[in-house]
Amino acid sequence: MVQMQVTLPEGRVGHLAFTEEIESYLRRAHNLFGGGLDGADTVVLLEMFFAYKLGSDGNSPGSGKQAVVAVVSFLEHCKTQPWLWQPQHLQHY
């Protein structure tokens, strides 16, 4: 059985125009999981989180960016996809 990999262009990994300012953090999260579907899904989650922080929470773009920076830092620490996070990941952080 051969596992298929999604190959994204070397341009942006983000898909939303207003997330250009967090592109470097999206790229870090994408590369952390070797790209592919896990990397792409993580980018989508980060973009939705950023949109939520700016929209529903009413934060400034700078505050939204800081929130994304914190989440990417946590991702880099636990090296686990967000949908697999467990309480012990946060405890060890």
Side-chain angles (χ1 to χ4, degrees), residues 5-16:
Q5 288 277 5
V6 174
T7 305
L8 296 173
E10 276 304 309
R12 290 197 61 216
V13 294
H15 301 288
L16 305 174

Side-chain angles (χ1 to χ4, degrees), residues 21-22 46 49-54 58-71:
E21 67 184 85
I22 61 166
L46 286 170
F49 176 65
F50 185 67
Y52 172 79
K53 294 306 286 178
L54 298 184
N59 290 302
S60 70
S63 293
K65 181 178 179 178
Q66 285 305 110
V68 170
V69 168
V71 173

Side-chain angles (χ1 to χ4, degrees), residues 67-90:
V68 170
V69 168
V71 173
V72 171
S73 173
F74 183 72
L75 280 168
E76 291 173 332
H77 167 75
C78 68
K79 295 177 178 56
T80 303
Q81 298 91 347
W83 50 92
L84 297 176
W85 286 349
Q86 299 291 318
Q88 62 268 22
H89 290 120
L90 187 56

Side-chain angles (χ1 to χ4, degrees), residues 4-65:
M4 293 183 61
Q5 288 277 5
V6 174
T7 305
L8 296 173
E10 276 304 309
R12 290 197 61 216
V13 294
H15 301 288
L16 305 174
F18 68 90
T19 61
E20 287 180 5
E21 67 184 85
I22 61 166
E23 178 64 23
S24 63
Y25 299 99
L26 298 176
R27 171 73 57 191
R28 283 169 53 183
H30 181 266
N31 292 343
L32 183 63
F33 302 114
L37 292 177
D38 287 341
D41 288 346
T42 302
V43 166
V44 169
L45 285 173
L46 286 170
E47 286 186 307
M48 290 187 317
F49 176 65
F50 185 67
Y52 172 79
K53 294 306 286 178
L54 298 184
S56 297
D57 269 4
N59 290 302
S60 70
S63 293
K65 181 178 179 178

